[in-house]
Amino acid sequence: MTEPRITLEVARYSPEEDDEPAFQKYEIPYREDWVVLDALNHIKDYVDETLTYRWSCRMGVCGSCGTMVNGEPKLTCSTFLRDYYPGTITVEPLANFPVARDLVIEMDDFMEKLQAVKPWIIRDEEDEKPVSEGEHLQTPKQLEEFKQFTMCINCMLCYSACPVYGLEESFVGPAALALAHRYNLDSRDKGNDERTHVVASSEGIWECTFVGECSVVCPKHVDPAAAIQRTKVATTKDWFKSVLMPWGAKS
Amino acid sequence: MNIPSHDVLIIGGGGAGLRAAIAAVEADEHVSVGIISKVYPMRSHTVSAEGGLAAVVRTDDDSLDWHAFDTIKGSDFLADQDVVETFVNEAPGEAVQLEHWGCPWSRDPDGRLSVRAFGGMSAKRTLFASDKTGFHMLHSLFQTSLKYSRIQRYDEWFVTSLLMEDGQVSGVSALDLRTGNLVAIPARSVIISTGGGGRIFPFTTNAAIKTGDGMAMAYRAGCPLRDMEFVQYHPTGLPGTGILMTEASRGEGGHLINNKGDRYLSEYIPGKMELGPRDIVSRAFVHEQRAGRVFEGPYGHYVHLDLRHLGESLIVEKLPFVRELTRNYVGIDPVHEPIPVRPVVHYMMGGVSTDITAKTPIDGLFAAGETACVGLNGANRLGSNSLTELLVFGARAGRSAVEAASGRAAPSATKLEELARAEEARIHDQFLSSTADSGERIADIRQGLQKAMEAGAGIYRTEEELSAACAAIAQLKERYAVVSVDDHSRVYNTQLIAALELGFMLDVAETVAHAALERRESRGSHSRSDFENRDDEKFLKHSLAYRREGEAPRIDYQPVTITRWTPEERTY
Amino acid sequence: MSERREPRSFYPTISPTWWLKKRSYFMFMMRELSSVFVAAFVLLFMYELFLLSKGPETFNLFQESLRRPLFLLFYAIALIFAIYHTITWFGVLSRIQVVRIGSWTLPPIFVTLSAFGAWFAISAAVAWYFVK
C-alpha cells in the first residue's frame, strides 16, 4: 500500500526575474492531521528551499499566515489538507495586496491604516487617572460591549475578501474600522471625535457597501461588517444631534 | 531609507521590547528610539501567551512578601531575592498601567480587575484577559506604541550581529528582508528582547521565530549567558504540535488523569495537585510514563486534561480559546471529552545575564524579557510571572538604556559601515558562495539538533546523555559550517534567515547542554537522574556560559543574592 | 528566465467580472440591483397616487394600460427582487442596530423576528382588508 500523496499548486513570483506570478506543482505526502502550513513547511524543508511564505505561531493567533487557498482567504495554519484531499490545492498570495515574493505580500498600506484610526485610549489631560489610584472600573457588561472587536489578529483576510478594497485602494478597510469601533465603545476611551475624520470619511465607513464578506472570512468572528454599519448609525445620529441641537454637548 | 543614529535601539518587538520603547520615550522627550523586529510586532510570540499576569493588586488577602516568597520558592531558591522584591513591588503598577493603556482585562462584577489561581501561587493574584492574556497585552502595547512618533520601527529587519567598538556596543548589523540590504544601524544603547529559544527542542509551545537570536548575539559579543541549563517544560501541551493548553485550565479547576482514571498528582504533590509548579508536574508525567500509566498515541505518550466537570458556561466564559484550539487541532470538545496533553518545552529561565537594572556586563547592552536572565525565575518560573516580567523589566531596560545613552557619544558611522561590510562578506562567503557546499539541508541539521536536545537535555538528564548531547552539538556545528543556501534572491530570502537562525540555535544549545552537564545536582526544572538531590553547598549559584572560539563554552559561577528568605526544602 | 533586474512587487488587477467569480459576490450585486426595482415600485406607487387624485377614471384607465403580459412579467421579476431586498435587509438588521432596553440588550434574533413579524402582520392586515 503506497503512502497517500496530495498535490499543491503554489503561486511563485520572483521579483528579480518574473513579470508575473506562475504556478508550480508540488506532489507531497498526505497526512490526515496536516494543515496547509505543514505542507508548505514540508516543501520548503525537503523539496524546494526557495519557497517563501510567512508563518510563526501555527495556532491561529499571530495572524502571519494569511493566504488564498483554493481562492478563499485562509490561515494556512488552521486550514486542514483533509478538507481538500484528494483534490489539488491551489495556494496563492492574499488577494488585493501587492506581491513581494511568492506568497509574501506587502502590508504597508494596512499598517498605515491601522495607525491612522488612532487605536489607543484617548482621554483628556485633566481626566488622566494616575496609576497609583488604581484601575479604571469597568463592569463585565461594559467589557462585553467591545470585547468581540478586540479579537482581531491583524491577519488581513478581511481586506482580501473585500471587493471594495480591491477596487478602491484608499478604503480604510474592515480591520482598521473595527479597531476604531473597539476603542469608541471602550468605556475608558473618549477619543470618538479624534477618530471621526478618518473613520467617518468618504474613504472610511462611507466607502463600505456592506458586502459582508469580511465578516464571513474572519477567523476570529470579529464581525467587522457589523462594526462598520454600527459606526454608520452612530455617526449619523451624532450628525443629526449636532445639526438639530447644536447647543447640546456631544456624547 | 535614511538610517538615523538612535539613542536606544531595541531588538525584538514583543511585550518586553514594546514596553521598553514606551518607557524610553516617556523617560526623555528628546530620545530617538528604534525597534527592529524580524516579524511585524503583532506576530511576536508574546501573542500566544494565554494564562495571565501575576501582580498583588488585591492587598486585602494578599501581600508582596507572599508573592516574593512564592516566586523564590518556585525558583528552588536560585532567584536573586533583591530582584524578586523589586519585581513584586513594581508588578501592580505595571498591571494597572497596562489597564490604563486599554488592555481588556477580565473584570469582577464590581468593575475591579479579576484575579485567578495559578500554579505555585499561594493567593489568587493572576490577572487575565479571558484566556488570551498575551494576545491582549501585546496588542494593547503595540497599539499604544503607535501613539509615539519618536519610535521608529524596522519591521521585518533581521539583526545578524551586535556591532562593537572597544568592547562596547555601538549598534547592530541588520538585514532588511524586503531588499536584502545589510545595513549598520548605529545606537548609543541596545536592548535585546528577542525572547527565548524553545525551537532547539522538537516539541515546544514556541512559535517558529523562537530561535534564541538575541541570546546568541550577546554570547558571540562576549556576554555570558546565565542559568542556561534551566529549561521549563509546560505540563500541558498538545502531543505532536506542542500547542499550549494554558495553565489557567488547571487554575480554573481542571484535572490531570492517567490511564487508570486517577488524578495521579496526589502521589507527588498532594498539597497542590494540579496547581503545583511546572517542573514538578512535568516530572510527575515522566514517572507515570515509566510506570506505564499513560496513554499511547501517534505522537507518543500522553495523559488527559479533564475539564468536563467545569461545565460549559465556565469554559465558554473563562477558557474559550482552549476550546477553540482543541476543536480545531484535536477535533475534541473539552466540554464533552478530556484533552490529550503531555509536557512540552515552553520557556527558558536562562538567558543574557543582566543585573536588576537590565544592564548586561557589556557597556551599552541591555536585555529584558525571556531573553534575559535577570535573576527573577531561578531554576523554575512560576506561571504568570513571565508576562509581568516583560512589563517590569522591559520598562526598567527602557529607562536604563536612556540613562546610559545620555552618557555615551554617538558611534562612528564610518567604522560601523566597515563592520557591516565585513559582516555582509562573512554571510556571503559562508552561505551564498559556491565553495562551501556540503549539499546538506538546513532542515536536517536543525532536526538533528532538536533530536539531540530531546535525547540529552530533556526533563531527566544524566552525565552520559548530556555528554552525548554536547558532542552531538559540536558535530552539528561542523556540519553547519559547510552548509549553503540555495536561495540567492535578495528579496525575502527566508532560507538565508533560517540558516542564520540555525547558527544562533546551535550556540544557544551548546550553552544549555554544557551548563547542564556541569550542574551536578537537581534543582527546579534541571533534574539529574544521577544527582537526584539539590546541593546548596556546591550549587547554590548561577551558572555563566562564556563563548570560546572553536571550543566548548567556559562555565563559571556567580553567587545568588539572598536577602530575607533562607533556602529551605522545597515541598508543596 | 530573464535577466536579474531591480526587484519590483507584482500589483494584481481586478477584472471587471470580479462579481461573477464567487457566489456571495454575485448575490451581493443582485442585492444592490434589487434597490433599482424597489425604487421602480415606489415611483409606480407614487404615480398611481397622483393619478388617483385626478379621479377614478384616469386611475382606472392607467390600471387597464398595465394589464399587458410584458408588464406582468416585469412586475413578477421586480416583485422577486423587492422581496429579496426585504429579506436581505431584515437579515442584517440585527447586526446594524443593537437594541437596548435599559441595561438589557435584546438578543439579535428578536430584532430579526420582529422585523419579519411586522412585515407579515402588516401584509396580512392589508391583504385581509382587500379580501373582505
Side-chain angles (χ1 to χ4, degrees), chain B residues 76-118:
Chain B
D76 218 346
F77 297 92
L78 200 70
D80 288 324
Q81 295 180 10
D82 57 336
V83 171
V84 176
E85 288 188 275
T86 302
F87 168 77
V88 302
N89 264 322
E90 294 182 7
E94 286 294 331
V96 172
Q97 174 64 268
L98 197 58
E99 189 274 330
H100 283 210
W101 284 336
C103 189
W105 296 115
S106 291
R107 304 284 182 151
D108 279 358
D110 61 2
R112 291 169 71 199
L113 299 165
S114 289
V115 284
R116 66 168 151 217
F118 229 71

Short mmCIF file of all heavy atoms in Angstrom, two decimals, chain B residues 76-118:
data_model
loop_
_atom_site.label_atom_id
_atom_site.label_comp_id
_atom_site.label_asym_id
_atom_site.label_seq_id
_atom_site.Cartn_x
_atom_site.Cartn_y
_atom_site.Cartn_z
N ASP B 76 13.18 27.36 43.28
CA ASP B 76 14.03 26.43 44.03
C ASP B 76 15.22 27.18 44.61
O ASP B 76 16.35 26.71 44.63
CB ASP B 76 14.50 25.25 43.15
CG ASP B 76 14.53 23.93 43.93
OD1 ASP B 76 14.45 23.98 45.18
OD2 ASP B 76 14.64 22.86 43.30
N PHE B 77 14.92 28.39 45.05
CA PHE B 77 15.84 29.24 45.79
C PHE B 77 17.05 29.71 45.00
O PHE B 77 18.05 30.16 45.58
CB PHE B 77 16.24 28.59 47.13
CG PHE B 77 15.05 28.42 48.03
CD1 PHE B 77 14.32 27.24 48.01
CD2 PHE B 77 14.60 29.47 48.81
CE1 PHE B 77 13.18 27.09 48.81
CE2 PHE B 77 13.46 29.34 49.61
CZ PHE B 77 12.75 28.15 49.60
N LEU B 78 16.93 29.65 43.69
CA LEU B 78 18.03 30.15 42.87
C LEU B 78 17.79 31.61 42.44
O LEU B 78 18.67 32.25 41.89
CB LEU B 78 18.21 29.28 41.62
CG LEU B 78 19.59 29.41 40.95
CD1 LEU B 78 20.68 28.78 41.81
CD2 LEU B 78 19.59 28.75 39.58
N ALA B 79 16.58 32.13 42.72
CA ALA B 79 16.30 33.51 42.30
C ALA B 79 17.10 34.49 43.15
O ALA B 79 17.37 34.25 44.33
CB ALA B 79 14.81 33.79 42.45
N ASP B 80 17.46 35.62 42.53
CA ASP B 80 18.13 36.69 43.28
C ASP B 80 17.03 37.45 44.00
O ASP B 80 16.17 38.05 43.38
CB ASP B 80 18.91 37.61 42.33
CG ASP B 80 20.14 36.93 41.79
OD1 ASP B 80 20.77 36.15 42.53
OD2 ASP B 80 20.48 37.15 40.61
N GLN B 81 17.07 37.44 45.31
CA GLN B 81 15.93 37.91 46.09
C GLN B 81 15.72 39.41 46.00
O GLN B 81 14.59 39.88 46.11
CB GLN B 81 16.07 37.43 47.53
CG GLN B 81 16.01 35.91 47.59
CD GLN B 81 16.14 35.34 48.98
OE1 GLN B 81 16.12 36.06 49.97
NE2 GLN B 81 16.31 34.03 49.06
N ASP B 82 16.78 40.17 45.76
CA ASP B 82 16.57 41.61 45.60
C ASP B 82 15.79 41.89 44.31
O ASP B 82 14.93 42.77 44.26
CB ASP B 82 17.91 42.36 45.60
CG ASP B 82 18.88 41.86 44.54
OD1 ASP B 82 18.76 40.69 44.11
OD2 ASP B 82 19.76 42.64 44.13
N VAL B 83 16.09 41.10 43.29
CA VAL B 83 15.37 41.22 42.03
C VAL B 83 13.91 40.89 42.22
O VAL B 83 13.01 41.60 41.74
CB VAL B 83 16.00 40.29 40.96
CG1 VAL B 83 15.14 40.25 39.71
CG2 VAL B 83 17.41 40.74 40.62
N VAL B 84 13.65 39.81 42.98
CA VAL B 84 12.27 39.39 43.20
C VAL B 84 11.52 40.46 43.98
O VAL B 84 10.37 40.78 43.66
CB VAL B 84 12.22 38.04 43.96
CG1 VAL B 84 10.79 37.66 44.27
CG2 VAL B 84 12.89 36.95 43.14
N GLU B 85 12.15 41.04 44.98
CA GLU B 85 11.48 42.07 45.79
C GLU B 85 11.11 43.28 44.93
O GLU B 85 10.00 43.82 45.02
CB GLU B 85 12.36 42.49 46.97
CG GLU B 85 12.46 41.42 48.03
CD GLU B 85 13.18 41.88 49.28
OE1 GLU B 85 14.42 41.81 49.32
OE2 GLU B 85 12.47 42.31 50.22
N THR B 86 12.04 43.71 44.09
CA THR B 86 11.76 44.82 43.18
C THR B 86 10.61 44.46 42.24
O THR B 86 9.70 45.25 42.01
CB THR B 86 13.01 45.16 42.34
OG1 THR B 86 14.07 45.48 43.23
CG2 THR B 86 12.75 46.30 41.40
N PHE B 87 10.66 43.25 41.73
CA PHE B 87 9.67 42.76 40.79
C PHE B 87 8.26 42.80 41.40
O PHE B 87 7.33 43.36 40.81
CB PHE B 87 10.05 41.34 40.37
CG PHE B 87 8.99 40.59 39.63
CD1 PHE B 87 8.74 40.86 38.30
CD2 PHE B 87 8.24 39.60 40.26
CE1 PHE B 87 7.76 40.15 37.60
CE2 PHE B 87 7.26 38.89 39.57
CZ PHE B 87 7.02 39.17 38.24
N VAL B 88 8.10 42.23 42.59
CA VAL B 88 6.75 42.17 43.16
C VAL B 88 6.25 43.56 43.53
O VAL B 88 5.06 43.85 43.46
CB VAL B 88 6.64 41.21 44.37
CG1 VAL B 88 7.05 39.81 43.98
CG2 VAL B 88 7.43 41.69 45.57
N ASN B 89 7.20 44.46 43.86
CA ASN B 89 6.83 45.85 44.17
C ASN B 89 6.28 46.57 42.95
O ASN B 89 5.33 47.33 43.05
CB ASN B 89 8.09 46.62 44.62
CG ASN B 89 8.18 46.66 46.12
OD1 ASN B 89 7.17 46.79 46.81
ND2 ASN B 89 9.39 46.56 46.62
N GLU B 90 6.95 46.39 41.83
CA GLU B 90 6.59 47.15 40.63
C GLU B 90 5.48 46.49 39.81
O GLU B 90 4.89 47.13 38.94
CB GLU B 90 7.84 47.38 39.77
CG GLU B 90 8.83 48.27 40.49
CD GLU B 90 10.08 48.58 39.68
OE1 GLU B 90 10.14 48.21 38.49
OE2 GLU B 90 11.00 49.20 40.26
N ALA B 91 5.23 45.21 40.10
CA ALA B 91 4.22 44.49 39.30
C ALA B 91 2.83 45.13 39.31
O ALA B 91 2.25 45.32 38.24
CB ALA B 91 4.15 43.03 39.76
N PRO B 92 2.28 45.48 40.47
CA PRO B 92 0.91 46.02 40.47
C PRO B 92 0.80 47.29 39.63
O PRO B 92 -0.16 47.46 38.88
CB PRO B 92 0.63 46.30 41.94
CG PRO B 92 1.59 45.46 42.71
CD PRO B 92 2.81 45.37 41.85
N GLY B 93 1.79 48.16 39.75
CA GLY B 93 1.77 49.41 38.98
C GLY B 93 1.78 49.15 37.49
O GLY B 93 1.05 49.79 36.72
N GLU B 94 2.57 48.18 37.06
CA GLU B 94 2.63 47.85 35.64
C GLU B 94 1.31 47.28 35.14
O GLU B 94 0.86 47.59 34.03
CB GLU B 94 3.77 46.86 35.37
CG GLU B 94 5.15 47.48 35.43
CD GLU B 94 5.40 48.49 34.33
OE1 GLU B 94 4.81 48.36 33.23
OE2 GLU B 94 6.17 49.44 34.56
N ALA B 95 0.68 46.44 35.99
CA ALA B 95 -0.61 45.85 35.59
C ALA B 95 -1.66 46.94 35.41
O ALA B 95 -2.43 46.93 34.45
CB ALA B 95 -1.07 44.83 36.62
N VAL B 96 -1.65 47.89 36.33
CA VAL B 96 -2.62 49.00 36.26
C VAL B 96 -2.29 49.90 35.07
O VAL B 96 -3.17 50.34 34.34
CB VAL B 96 -2.64 49.81 37.58
CG1 VAL B 96 -3.49 51.05 37.43
CG2 VAL B 96 -3.16 48.95 38.71
N GLN B 97 -1.00 50.14 34.85
CA GLN B 97 -0.61 50.97 33.71
C GLN B 97 -1.11 50.37 32.41
O GLN B 97 -1.63 51.07 31.53
CB GLN B 97 0.93 51.10 33.67
CG GLN B 97 1.47 51.82 32.46
CD GLN B 97 1.01 53.27 32.42
OE1 GLN B 97 -0.01 53.62 31.84
NE2 GLN B 97 1.77 54.13 33.02
N LEU B 98 -0.99 49.06 32.29
CA LEU B 98 -1.45 48.40 31.06
C LEU B 98 -2.98 48.53 30.94
O LEU B 98 -3.51 48.67 29.84
CB LEU B 98 -1.03 46.93 31.06
CG LEU B 98 -1.10 46.26 29.70
CD1 LEU B 98 -0.23 46.98 28.67
CD2 LEU B 98 -0.67 44.81 29.79
N GLU B 99 -3.65 48.52 32.07
CA GLU B 99 -5.11 48.70 32.05
C GLU B 99 -5.44 50.10 31.56
O GLU B 99 -6.34 50.30 30.75
CB GLU B 99 -5.68 48.47 33.46
CG GLU B 99 -7.20 48.43 33.52
CD GLU B 99 -7.84 49.80 33.65
OE1 GLU B 99 -7.21 50.70 34.23
OE2 GLU B 99 -8.97 49.98 33.15
N HIS B 100 -4.64 51.09 32.02
CA HIS B 100 -4.86 52.46 31.56
C HIS B 100 -4.62 52.58 30.07
O HIS B 100 -5.22 53.42 29.40
CB HIS B 100 -3.92 53.42 32.32
CG HIS B 100 -4.38 53.71 33.71
ND1 HIS B 100 -4.11 54.90 34.35
CD2 HIS B 100 -5.10 52.99 34.59
CE1 HIS B 100 -4.63 54.89 35.58
NE2 HIS B 100 -5.22 53.74 35.74
N TRP B 101 -3.74 51.73 29.54
CA TRP B 101 -3.46 51.75 28.12
C TRP B 101 -4.46 50.91 27.31
O TRP B 101 -4.25 50.68 26.13
CB TRP B 101 -2.03 51.24 27.85
CG TRP B 101 -0.98 52.26 28.18
CD1 TRP B 101 -1.11 53.62 28.23
CD2 TRP B 101 0.38 51.99 28.51
NE1 TRP B 101 0.08 54.20 28.56
CE2 TRP B 101 1.01 53.23 28.74
CE3 TRP B 101 1.14 50.82 28.62
CZ2 TRP B 101 2.37 53.34 29.08
CZ3 TRP B 101 2.49 50.93 28.96
CH2 TRP B 101 3.09 52.18 29.18
N GLY B 102 -5.51 50.47 27.97
CA GLY B 102 -6.61 49.85 27.23
C GLY B 102 -6.68 48.34 27.26
O GLY B 102 -7.57 47.77 26.63
N CYS B 103 -5.79 47.67 27.95
CA CYS B 103 -5.85 46.21 27.95
C CYS B 103 -7.20 45.74 28.49
O CYS B 103 -7.62 46.19 29.56
CB CYS B 103 -4.72 45.63 28.81
SG CYS B 103 -4.60 43.84 28.65
N PRO B 104 -7.92 44.87 27.77
CA PRO B 104 -9.26 44.46 28.19
C PRO B 104 -9.23 43.35 29.24
O PRO B 104 -9.70 42.23 29.01
CB PRO B 104 -9.89 43.98 26.87
CG PRO B 104 -8.73 43.48 26.06
CD PRO B 104 -7.55 44.33 26.44
N TRP B 105 -8.69 43.69 30.41
CA TRP B 105 -8.64 42.72 31.50
C TRP B 105 -10.03 42.22 31.86
O TRP B 105 -10.98 42.99 31.81
CB TRP B 105 -8.02 43.34 32.76
CG TRP B 105 -6.59 43.76 32.64
CD1 TRP B 105 -6.10 45.03 32.71
CD2 TRP B 105 -5.45 42.92 32.46
NE1 TRP B 105 -4.73 45.03 32.58
CE2 TRP B 105 -4.30 43.75 32.43
CE3 TRP B 105 -5.27 41.54 32.34
CZ2 TRP B 105 -3.00 43.24 32.28
CZ3 TRP B 105 -3.98 41.04 32.18
CH2 TRP B 105 -2.88 41.89 32.15
N SER B 106 -10.13 40.95 32.23
CA SER B 106 -11.41 40.42 32.70
C SER B 106 -11.72 41.06 34.05
O SER B 106 -10.83 41.39 34.83
CB SER B 106 -11.33 38.90 32.84
OG SER B 106 -11.23 38.30 31.59
N ARG B 107 -13.02 41.24 34.31
CA ARG B 107 -13.43 42.04 35.47
C ARG B 107 -14.37 41.28 36.39
O ARG B 107 -15.13 40.42 35.97
CB ARG B 107 -14.17 43.29 34.99
CG ARG B 107 -13.38 44.14 34.04
CD ARG B 107 -12.32 44.95 34.72
NE ARG B 107 -11.61 45.80 33.78
CZ ARG B 107 -11.04 46.95 34.11
NH1 ARG B 107 -11.09 47.38 35.35
NH2 ARG B 107 -10.42 47.66 33.20
N ASP B 108 -14.32 41.70 37.65
CA ASP B 108 -15.31 41.25 38.63
C ASP B 108 -16.58 42.06 38.44
O ASP B 108 -16.54 43.13 37.84
CB ASP B 108 -14.76 41.48 40.04
CG ASP B 108 -13.80 40.38 40.46
OD1 ASP B 108 -13.59 39.43 39.67
OD2 ASP B 108 -13.27 40.47 41.58
N PRO B 109 -17.71 41.60 38.98
CA PRO B 109 -18.96 42.36 38.83
C PRO B 109 -18.86 43.81 39.29
O PRO B 109 -19.55 44.68 38.75
CB PRO B 109 -19.94 41.58 39.71
CG PRO B 109 -19.43 40.20 39.73
CD PRO B 109 -17.94 40.29 39.64
N ASP B 110 -17.97 44.09 40.26
CA ASP B 110 -17.90 45.47 40.74
C ASP B 110 -16.98 46.34 39.88
O ASP B 110 -16.76 47.51 40.18
CB ASP B 110 -17.44 45.52 42.21
CG ASP B 110 -16.03 44.92 42.39
OD1 ASP B 110 -15.41 44.52 41.38
OD2 ASP B 110 -15.56 44.86 43.54
N GLY B 111 -16.43 45.75 38.81
CA GLY B 111 -15.62 46.54 37.88
C GLY B 111 -14.13 46.47 38.13
O GLY B 111 -13.34 47.02 37.37
N ARG B 112 -13.73 45.81 39.21
CA ARG B 112 -12.30 45.70 39.50
C ARG B 112 -11.66 44.59 38.68
O ARG B 112 -12.33 43.70 38.17
CB ARG B 112 -12.09 45.43 40.99
CG ARG B 112 -12.45 46.63 41.87
CD ARG B 112 -12.49 46.24 43.33
NE ARG B 112 -11.16 45.98 43.86
CZ ARG B 112 -10.92 45.29 44.97
NH1 ARG B 112 -11.92 44.76 45.65
NH2 ARG B 112 -9.70 45.09 45.40
N LEU B 113 -10.33 44.66 38.59
CA LEU B 113 -9.58 43.64 37.85
C LEU B 113 -9.78 42.28 38.52
O LEU B 113 -9.62 42.14 39.71
CB LEU B 113 -8.09 43.99 37.86
CG LEU B 113 -7.71 45.31 37.19
CD1 LEU B 113 -6.29 45.71 37.56
CD2 LEU B 113 -7.83 45.18 35.68
N SER B 114 -10.12 41.28 37.72
CA SER B 114 -10.28 39.92 38.24
C SER B 114 -8.92 39.27 38.42
O SER B 114 -7.98 39.57 37.70
CB SER B 114 -11.08 39.06 37.26
OG SER B 114 -12.41 39.43 37.22
N VAL B 115 -8.86 38.36 39.40
CA VAL B 115 -7.64 37.58 39.58
C VAL B 115 -8.01 36.11 39.71
O VAL B 115 -9.10 35.79 40.17
CB VAL B 115 -6.85 38.01 40.84
CG1 VAL B 115 -6.11 39.31 40.60
CG2 VAL B 115 -7.75 38.11 42.05
N ARG B 116 -7.11 35.23 39.30
CA ARG B 116 -7.38 33.81 39.44
C ARG B 116 -6.18 33.08 40.01
O ARG B 116 -5.08 33.62 40.08
CB ARG B 116 -7.80 33.19 38.12
CG ARG B 116 -6.77 33.15 37.03
CD ARG B 116 -7.29 32.24 35.90
NE ARG B 116 -6.81 32.59 34.60
CZ ARG B 116 -7.54 32.51 33.49
NH1 ARG B 116 -8.79 32.13 33.54
NH2 ARG B 116 -7.01 32.81 32.33
N ALA B 117 -6.43 31.84 40.42
CA ALA B 117 -5.37 31.00 40.99
C ALA B 117 -4.44 30.54 39.87
O ALA B 117 -4.84 30.42 38.72
CB ALA B 117 -6.00 29.78 41.66
N PHE B 118 -3.18 30.28 40.23
CA PHE B 118 -2.24 29.80 39.24
C PHE B 118 -1.20 28.93 39.93
O PHE B 118 -1.05 28.99 41.15
CB PHE B 118 -1.56 30.98 38.52
CG PHE B 118 -1.58 30.85 37.02
CD1 PHE B 118 -2.76 30.99 36.31
CD2 PHE B 118 -0.41 30.60 36.32
CE1 PHE B 118 -2.78 30.86 34.93
CE2 PHE B 118 -0.43 30.47 34.94
CZ PHE B 118 -1.60 30.61 34.25
#
